[in-house]
Amino acid sequence: MSEFELERFDAGDDAELIVVTGTVGLLESGELTDALEACGRNGARRVVVDVTDAEIDDPGALSGLYDLARLMRARDGLVALAVPRKHVLRGILEATGVKQAFTLYDSRRAALDDLDLDG
């Protein structure tokens, strides 16, 4: 897996896009959680998180995603995850029973198009 990288983009009115690549371990999990919390502080209601090219090895990252999903739901918003069907994270979300907290898409483009967002 490649080196960890995280990019945040404005995706339109009240929306943000986070693209995560590489391995998300203990140290990187903190950076991802900070970015997710910043979306919450910035008043976003819709957040697309693309983990297509990421490998999440730290449960703290999943916790951060779930916390953001709860916050977005309270704002009548959502967290959309761009995660291909065969990605390990899909299985983890199903096994832990938190899949319903997210709107899942097979690709970033599918998520952005469906939510009518920029990116």
Side-chain angles (χ1 to χ4, degrees):
M1 185 60 55
S2 61
E3 189 174 325
F4 173 78
E5 217 175 299
L6 184 146
E7 296 178 279
R8 273 181 63 201
F9 304 94
D10 180 6
D13 195 29
D14 78 356
E16 292 197 40
L17 167 65
I18 296 176
V19 179
V20 183
T21 55
T23 302
V24 181
L26 181 61
L27 295 175
E28 298 84 6
S29 178
E31 188 175 336
L32 175 57
T33 299
D34 289 347
L36 296 170
E37 289 173 352
C39 290
R41 284 191 307 273
N42 292 347
R45 284 188 47 249
R46 299 174 295 165
V47 179
V48 176
V49 182
D50 183 353
V51 294
T52 300
D53 296 318
E55 182 179 308
I56 298 179
D57 289 346
D58 184 70
L62 294 177
S63 210
L65 284 167
Y66 185 72
D67 289 346
L68 181 65
R70 286 189 0 229
L71 175 64
M72 292 300 114
R73 241 190 331 231
R75 293 181 181 169
D76 291 324
L78 62 89
V79 173
L81 293 180
V83 55
R85 290 187 191 278
K86 296 192 188 266
H87 196 287
V88 172
L89 183 57
R90 283 249 186 169
I92 292 170
L93 294 173
E94 289 178 15
T96 58
V98 298
K99 181 177 129 180
Q100 69 279 359
F102 306 99
T103 304
L104 302 181
Y105 292 92
D106 292 333
S107 70
R108 177 187 333 166
R109 182 80 272 149
L112 295 170
D113 287 349
D114 188 52
L115 299 171
D116 196 28
L117 298 175
D118 303 328

